[in-house]
Amino acid sequence: MRTDSAGDTKPWTTEDGRTVSLQVALLKHVYILPWGQFLYAEGTGDEVKVAFATHDVVVKGGGLVSLLNDLAGQRVSLLREPTRGDKFVAGGGPRIVEVSVQKAD
């Protein structure tokens, strides 16, 4: 986890510069998606969709606008699906409650 300029802890991992790939760690499966296949990201503070050539990643939670900013810079290196206990952690910053990956249409 990293901390943004406002001091909030982000529930995703970012690097200072662009990364080569995005690792999506689900509870029972891990995907490595190269940023070279990144098409676009869209969403709101509650849901973000990240489209790659082969897969779509959907992140649900709250305060996810900063995730969109990090995705735009291709700085996100790890998105982790929260465990059951992590979904209910209270806090004022961004939070992820669900991450899913599907093959692109």
Side-chain angles (χ1 to χ4, degrees), residues 33-51:
L33 301 168
W35 281 113
Q37 293 184 4
F38 174 66
L39 301 174
Y40 68 93
E42 66 177 349
T44 65
D46 298 326
E47 182 175 298
V48 170
K49 178 182 177 185
V50 188

Side-chain angles (χ1 to χ4, degrees), residues 46-49 57-61 64 67 79 96 98-99:
D46 298 326
E47 182 175 298
V48 170
K49 178 182 177 185
V57 179
V58 178
V59 181
K60 295 181 181 180
L64 298 177
L67 175 59
L79 280 174
I96 294 175
E98 182 181 332
V99 178

